Amino acid sequence: MALTSGLGGQLSIDLGALARNWRALDKVSAGALTGAVVKADAYGTGITMASKALHAAGARFFFTATPDEGMAVRAAVPDAHIFILNGLYPGAANLYIRQNLMPIISSMAMLEEWLAKCLERNEAYPSAFHFDTGMNRLGFRLNEATLVRDRIQALGYAPQMVMSHLACADQPSHEKNRTQLALFGSVMTQFPGIPASLANSAGMMTGRDYHFQMVRPGIALYGGRAVNGRKNPMAPVVTLHVPIVQVKEARTGETVGYGASHALSRDSRLAILSHGYADGFLRSLSASNTRPGGKVVIRGKVCPVIGKVSMDQVTVDITELGPDNIPNPGEGAEVLGNLLGVDDLADAGGTIGYEILTSLKGRYSRNYVGDGNLPPG
């Protein structure tokens, strides 16, 4: 693949695949509403275009981490219902109200600030409540459930939803899943008639007991693996090609990259890519003589990274392509695509697909394909 002259890498986002993934998950959720988590720039795919495609597919409930992200969704999808996962930022209630954003309230301080604003304006502005069932991240403590219930009942206020978050849903047999499910059930007895939400992507695939009235898929929408040890059923959404800038010969015993951690065991042909950890190709994808690293695809063949990943460059051994199949400078190397997906890269780098996707902020152009039935404009 030849890349456009003068450009760096080319990131392609398949909005049609994104829409198909949402529709497939919506079928899995059955009686529950299916939201869409679009935080972190829609997992690196672009929050504006991703939100439009998801809305065209049928999504109406969106989850972002921050109010800034929520405002980006509001601009893209004016009729969206938008929840802010990180809750109510102190002093920002007027912004949430003006933008019609729903904070997911997780502390008594947040609750009191939100209720005070509702009383000041004599209107029950919508929000959701988050209870911590074992993550020890955001959320009311379980022993605050009665206090929260009594406080809102005294004012006649009801949240739009009560939620919690699973710590180990990517391991369906983990005992903590059932423990959290039971604890969440005990919380919900304090809020009868209020919709509940517990399942992220992995929780959706763990079992229908976790679905309640709303599910919140994230990583699965973007083609990432949600559950460890299972074949990933989701369509890939992202492909990435980066340019080869030089092909060179190197001799047995010579070393490659910083630290001289990889010495060549044979005469080799190397391709130098214009791509590095500044572009989201993690330094943990480096290789040495004692540890394999990442891989890329060149002319249809998987080729190994050798030496340390630099800020701007990666070295790849292309010897196995043969002497009659030497790529030219300007040709593209496939970092993500059909042969090597997000999770393949993550496994090689000792991380998770989430980090790979959200690291795709490098020096490359974005190309959106397959509109997912986007409306005009």
Side-chain angles (χ1 to χ4, degrees):
M1 174 183 179
L3 299 183
T4 304
S5 177
L7 294 180
Q10 294 181 9
L11 180 69
S12 229
I13 296 109
D14 187 340
L15 297 177
L18 178 63
R20 290 193 298 276
N21 284 342
W22 186 89
R23 292 185 184 114
L25 292 167
D26 190 46
K27 289 181 180 178
V28 171
S29 69
L33 294 170
T34 304
V37 179
V38 292
K39 62 182 180 177
D41 201 27
Y43 288 55
T45 65
I47 195 168
T48 297
M49 295 299 288
S51 296
K52 288 182 177 181
L54 289 163
H55 183 269
R60 296 295 179 266
F61 298 87
F62 293 80
F63 294 82
T64 71
T66 67
D68 284 349
E69 293 175 340
M71 288 188 287
V73 176
R74 175 65 63 220
V77 187
D79 66 344
H81 305 282
I82 305 168
F83 292 95
I84 309 301
L85 291 160
N86 285 4
L88 178 64
Y89 286 54
N94 287 333
L95 171 66
Y96 286 66
I97 292 168
R98 190 163 59 248
Q99 292 289 327
N100 193 17
L101 306 176
M102 293 179 281
I104 297 179
I105 292 172
S106 58
S107 71
M108 292 305 299
M110 283 187 196
L111 178 61
E112 291 300 340
E113 183 172 350
W114 192 246
L115 292 177
K117 186 59 64 174
C118 292
L119 289 168
E120 175 189 317
R121 298 197 175 191
N122 195 32
E123 186 164 346
Y125 293 108
S127 68
F129 294 171
H130 187 167
F131 284 86
D132 179 8
T133 56
M135 188 84 163
N136 266 318
R137 210 169 58 171
L138 288 176
F140 291 105
R141 301 290 295 179
L142 294 179
N143 59 12
E144 293 179 303
T146 300
L147 179 63
V148 171
R149 179 203 65 191
D150 292 347
R151 182 74 180 101
I152 63 172
Q153 283 185 349
L155 296 176
Y157 182 87
Q160 301 297 299
M161 183 174 71
V162 174
M163 62 172 278
S164 189
H165 192 65
L166 295 165
C168 302
D170 58 345
Q171 306 167 64
S173 62
H174 199 292
E175 62 182 21
K176 195 172 186 72
N177 294 322
R178 301 302 299 182
T179 299
Q180 286 191 265
L181 179 63
L183 291 172
F184 187 58
S186 71
V187 168
M188 292 312 302
T189 63
Q190 304 271 18
F191 301 93
I194 303 297
S197 178
L198 180 61
N200 56 5
S201 295
M204 289 183 67
M205 300 176 188
T206 295
R208 292 195 185 278
D209 289 351
Y210 297 84
H211 289 188
F212 291 91
Q213 286 75 48
M214 171 83 77
V215 294
R216 316 184 305 267
I219 188 67
L221 291 174
Y222 308 99
R225 179 179 64 215
V227 177
N228 294 332
R230 289 186 190 172
K231 183 178 178 181
N232 182 5
M234 311 312 297
V237 171
V238 171
T239 59
L240 175 62
H241 293 84
V242 302
I244 297 168
V245 292
Q246 186 177 1
V247 175
K248 65 192 305 180
E249 307 294 327
R251 303 299 176 214
T252 303
E254 293 180 352
T255 62
V256 178
Y258 285 119
S261 60
H262 189 109
L264 297 173
S265 60
R266 63 180 179 180
D267 290 351
S268 302
R269 182 171 295 111
L270 310 179
I272 317 303
L273 313 183
S274 178
H275 192 55
Y277 57 76
D279 305 293
F281 198 83
L282 305 180
R283 198 166 183 267
S284 60
L285 292 162
S286 300
S288 68
N289 290 111
T290 58
R291 178 189 177 278
K295 296 179 175 65
V296 303
V297 176
I298 297 176
R299 293 199 169 183
K301 186 173 181 64
V302 177
C303 301
V305 169
I306 57 174
K308 284 191 170 68
V309 175
S310 302
M311 183 184 294
D312 313 304
Q313 291 146 26
V314 177
T315 302
V316 178
D317 187 338
I318 60 170
T319 311
E320 295 301 318
L321 290 182
D324 300 320
N325 191 28
I326 301 173
N328 299 308
E331 280 191 42
E334 186 177 271
V335 177
L336 295 170
N338 292 327
L339 291 180
L340 293 173
V342 167
D343 295 302
D344 296 312
L345 203 60
D347 291 343
T351 185
I352 54 178
Y354 300 75
E355 186 176 18
I356 298 297
L357 284 169
T358 57
S359 296
L360 296 177
K361 303 180 178 71
R363 295 161 286 192
Y364 32 69
S365 60
R366 288 191 179 205
N367 175 42
Y368 289 94
V369 300
D371 66 7
N373 298 318
L374 286 175

